[in-house]
Amino acid sequence: MTALTSPLGRLRWTLLDGLTLIGRELARLRQEPGQIVAALVFPVIMVVLFGYVFGSAIQVPDGGDYREYLMPGLFAMVTFSAWLGVMTRMATDASRGVMDRFRSMPMARLAVPIGQTGADLLTGLLMLAIMVGAGLLVGWQPHRGLIPTAQAFLLMIVLRYALSWVGVYVGLAVKNDQIADAMVPLGLPFTMLSNAFVPTDGMPGWLRFLADWNPVSALTAASRELFGNPGAPSGNVAWPIAHPVTAVLLWSAALLVIFVPLSLRAYMRRGR
């Protein structure tokens, strides 16, 4: 058994190729500074827009500062932007023939998806850091100590990585990059239909059910719980809101189990 045919050798080969393509994606971002500026400015705009413009008219359940209530929701919103960015980049590479060139190279099959998801994870960490800084400037802060705070951010990272595989699959499944661009606005209603910005108590029953079972709501509730921010669930609430940390982990595991093999199959079929 040679080094490349052994399981350990194939894993090492896949990781090395994936790291190479992560470098390619980061280099592409450096060549397109407009995307970097937009990605860095977006979190700050969200904090100012929702925290001061909308926040002046919204009351937090059981009292508390709205910006402390809001920031976990904005963290969740940034986390859920992962699949949109990966989707558009995958669709662009596929429609321009870049995927065909990758398939012609002696490269591991998972290297391209790993490169895309890994690069998104790094840029997502940068966006998260910018939003944390903006939140601290407007008065948000975690209250439960270092370990729960680290656990909250780790949940965001895990779910973001799982969601990026959704973006890989959708980007390969759509016909071209124009369709992928047209799908980007669909991400906004998904994040708005949650407890990220307002409580779900006042929603109609059917709408509240959708909001409470939205992964955005689970991540937001988990973050509020771990940060010690206002908005802790009370009374009769849906299971994902009552057990948000477990719900986020289950969502992440389910997305990875479903979309990693689907993405690999879609990547292999794209060139046929």
Side-chain angles (χ1 to χ4, degrees), residues 87 90-100 103 168-177 179 263-272:
M87 174 189 67
M90 289 295 291
T92 299
D93 282 351
S95 63
R96 294 179 180 177
V98 177
M99 296 295 179
D100 296 331
R103 286 190 198 88
V168 170
Y169 174 71
V170 177
L172 290 170
V174 298
K175 297 295 182 181
N176 52 55
D177 53 335
I179 296 177
S263 299
L264 178 57
R265 186 170 64 177
Y267 175 68
M268 298 305 296
R269 286 184 174 181
R270 183 83 190 209
R272 295 179 183 177

Side-chain angles (χ1 to χ4, degrees), residues 10 20-21 44 54 68 75 104 109 114 120 158 161 163 172 198 210 212 214 227-228 238 247:
R10 288 196 299 269
T20 300
L21 290 179
V44 179
F54 297 155
E68 288 218 332
F75 291 143
S104 67
R109 293 182 297 174
I114 286 177
D120 175 80
V158 170
Y161 186 71
L163 284 163
L172 290 170
V198 295
L210 295 177
D212 286 344
N214 186 341
F227 289 144

Side-chain angles (χ1 to χ4, degrees), residues 163-236:
L163 284 163
S164 66
W165 283 94
V166 178
V168 170
Y169 174 71
V170 177
L172 290 170
V174 298
K175 297 295 182 181
N176 52 55
D177 53 335
Q178 287 83 9
I179 296 177
D181 290 337
M183 293 178 63
V184 170
L186 298 178
L188 182 60
F190 190 81
T191 55
M192 297 295 290
L193 183 58
S194 68
N195 63 356
F197 305 105
V198 295
T200 61
D201 299 349
M203 298 180 182
W206 64 272
L207 194 61
R208 181 180 180 181
F209 175 83
L210 295 177
D212 286 344
W213 284 86
N214 186 341
V216 179
S217 294
L219 181 59
T220 301
S223 300
R224 286 175 181 148
E225 177 182 309
L226 292 169
F227 289 144
N229 292 151
S234 60
N236 186 21

Side-chain angles (χ1 to χ4, degrees), residues 16 18 29 34 45 58 101 123-124 149 170 174 227-228 232 236-237 249 254:
L16 289 175
L29 286 176
I45 293 176
I58 299 175
R101 281 189 288 171
T123 56
T149 299
V170 177
V174 298
F227 289 144
N236 186 21
V237 296
L249 293 175

Side-chain angles (χ1 to χ4, degrees), residues 4-272:
L4 288 181
T5 57
S6 67
L8 185 59
R10 288 196 299 269
L11 176 61
R12 181 174 179 273
W13 179 36
T14 299
L15 292 177
L16 289 175
D17 287 346
L19 288 173
T20 300
L21 290 179
I22 289 175
R24 170 195 175 255
E25 292 301 320
L26 296 178
R28 183 165 69 173
L29 286 176
R30 288 196 299 268
Q31 295 170 2
E32 300 174 354
Q35 291 188 14
I36 299 177
V37 172
L40 298 182
V41 171
F42 176 76
V44 179
I45 293 176
M46 291 296 100
V47 172
V48 173
L49 179 63
F50 287 99
Y52 289 97
V53 178
F54 297 155
S56 60
I58 299 175
Q59 298 296 322
V60 178
D62 300 325
D65 182 73
Y66 179 71
R67 284 183 289 279
E68 288 218 332
Y69 175 86
L70 170 70
M71 286 308 301
L74 291 182
F75 291 143
M77 186 177 184
V78 169
T79 299
F80 273 76
S81 68
W83 75 276
L84 298 171
V86 174
M87 174 189 67
T88 54
R89 290 193 297 272
M90 289 295 291
T92 299
D93 282 351
S95 63
R96 294 179 180 177
V98 177
M99 296 295 179
D100 296 331
R101 281 189 288 171
F102 284 152
R103 286 190 198 88
S104 67
M105 298 177 181
M107 147 183 325
R109 293 182 297 174
L110 274 174
V112 173
I114 286 177
Q116 289 284 357
T117 55
D120 175 80
L121 190 60
L122 294 177
T123 56
L125 288 173
L126 181 57
M127 291 178 64
L128 196 59
I130 296 294
M131 183 161 278
V132 168
L136 292 173
L137 287 176
V138 301
W140 167 82
Q141 60 178 320
H143 300 283
R144 293 190 57 195
L146 179 61
I147 293 179
T149 299
Q151 290 173 337
F153 287 120
L154 183 60
L155 279 179
M156 298 175 200
I157 293 169
V158 170
L159 186 55
R160 183 181 184 97
Y161 186 71
L163 284 163
S164 66
W165 283 94
V166 178
V168 170
Y169 174 71
V170 177
L172 290 170
V174 298
K175 297 295 182 181
N176 52 55
D177 53 335
Q178 287 83 9
I179 296 177
D181 290 337
M183 293 178 63
V184 170
L186 298 178
L188 182 60
F190 190 81
T191 55
M192 297 295 290
L193 183 58
S194 68
N195 63 356
F197 305 105
V198 295
T200 61
D201 299 349
M203 298 180 182
W206 64 272
L207 194 61
R208 181 180 180 181
F209 175 83
L210 295 177
D212 286 344
W213 284 86
N214 186 341
V216 179
S217 294
L219 181 59
T220 301
S223 300
R224 286 175 181 148
E225 177 182 309
L226 292 169
F227 289 144
N229 292 151
S234 60
N236 186 21
V237 296
W239 186 88
I241 307 302
H243 307 87
V245 175
T246 304
V248 172
L249 293 175
L250 289 175
W251 273 113
S252 302
L255 291 172
L256 288 171
V257 168
I258 293 170
F259 284 97
V260 169
L262 283 178
S263 299
L264 178 57
R265 186 170 64 177
Y267 175 68
M268 298 305 296
R269 286 184 174 181
R270 183 83 190 209
R272 295 179 183 177

